[in-house]
Amino acid sequence: MEVPTFAHVQAAAGRIAPFVHRTPVLTSETLDAVAGATLLFKAEPLQKSGSFKMRGAANAVLSLPEAEATRGVATHSSGNHGAALSRAATLRGIPCWVVMPEGAPAAKRQAVAAYGGSIVPCAPTLKAREESAARLLAETGARFVHPYEDPAVVAGQGTCALELLAQAPAIDLLLVPLGGGGLLSGTLIAARELAPAVEIVGVEPAGADDAARSLAAGVITPLPRPETVADGLRATLGELAFAVLREHRCRVVTVADDAIVEAMRLIWQRLKLVAEPSAAVPLAAVLSGAVEAAGRRVGVVLSGGNVDLPR
């Protein structure tokens, strides 16, 4: 599998610019005081479709040759990638199918449908997702756009770091949520070119710590059934991301669900921004002491804001 380069990230930035927001960087004196650090929050909940996933999905869809695009696109997703791909496909005027696990948040299912995607339900396991997607592709002939193993998707996700490092220079530490690894690997590719001295750390839930286990073992080590409130981070680390994380010797830390929920509460209260649990894991790492942030300028990627408000 081809690993994207910095040139691919730059090309993606130009390609998707008309279709995505250049999201702001937010600050909070209160949260700075609690952390003892300067925190710079990249607000991807304000992105089109409500998460950073629009970047990668748009780049993948817009990169397709016309003959391939006309057959449509398909994916499996717990929600954010599916919603983003549905929106990107609608913008290009092509069909989109999304395999979604039963129990996916209602807000995310509703978003996929609202953006024009057709939902195909499946059991809540990676095996069920992949088998359902394989059947769908055989039936439709659609082009599969993987949530984090597609090089065009990874290049698109790297544009988030491209923006952040331009908006908030002199960052010492950059914290990124980690599920399948598309956002973190794209971040590493972009940041290592622009700011090689920045420490980049991936943060994942303790109940879905397959990346930490995989890096320790030297081989991808999936969890049969990840358990965490951060539903967007239950995916197994991808081969592409695993290769990029190992190449750049990226450190990964884990945080407990109670710390994630508390961090999410603080983001809502202090930044006045709706963030989903997956977006709160980097701040949870700061507040729980999983990373040493005191006295540093810390970039915090808030990955998305698609939540079921009643929950």
Side-chain angles (χ1 to χ4, degrees), residues 6-193:
F6 181 64
H8 290 121
V9 176
Q10 288 179 306
R15 186 177 294 116
I16 70 176
F19 307 100
V20 301
H21 289 314
R22 183 179 174 88
T23 54
V25 173
L26 307 180
T27 60
S28 165
E29 291 181 358
T30 301
L31 293 179
D32 285 358
V34 171
T38 300
L39 303 179
L40 303 153
F41 296 92
K42 182 63 169 163
E44 288 295 287
L46 301 178
Q47 185 54 265
K48 297 285 189 180
S49 81
S51 84
F52 77 95
K53 293 284 191 177
M54 187 60 197
R55 298 173 180 275
N59 191 48
V61 169
L62 294 172
S63 299
L64 290 176
E66 187 61 29
E68 194 171 3
T70 55
R71 297 197 299 271
V73 290
T75 193
H76 56 70
S77 167
S78 62
N80 283 348
H81 175 68
L85 191 68
S86 297
R87 185 176 190 277
T90 296
L91 288 171
R92 187 158 181 182
I94 61 176
C96 176
W97 294 269
V98 182
V99 175
M100 296 190 73
E102 296 163 359
K108 295 183 177 181
R109 294 197 303 273
Q110 291 164 3
V112 169
Y115 287 129
S118 299
I119 298 173
V120 179
C122 73
T125 66
L126 179 61
K127 181 180 179 182
R129 284 192 191 198
E130 292 175 342
E131 290 177 347
S132 297
R135 287 194 297 271
L136 178 63
L137 295 177
E139 293 168 2
T140 65
R143 163 70 149 77
F144 185 67
V145 180
H146 197 280
Y148 47 86
E149 288 280 66
D150 189 308
V153 169
V154 171
Q157 315 307 28
T159 65
C160 182
L162 205 65
E163 289 180 10
L164 174 57
L165 292 169
Q167 294 165 305
I171 288 175
D172 304 308
L173 172 65
L174 180 51
L175 303 176
V176 183
L178 173 56
L183 178 60
L184 181 55
S185 52
T187 297
L188 285 163
I189 291 164
R192 284 293 171 254
E193 181 74 23

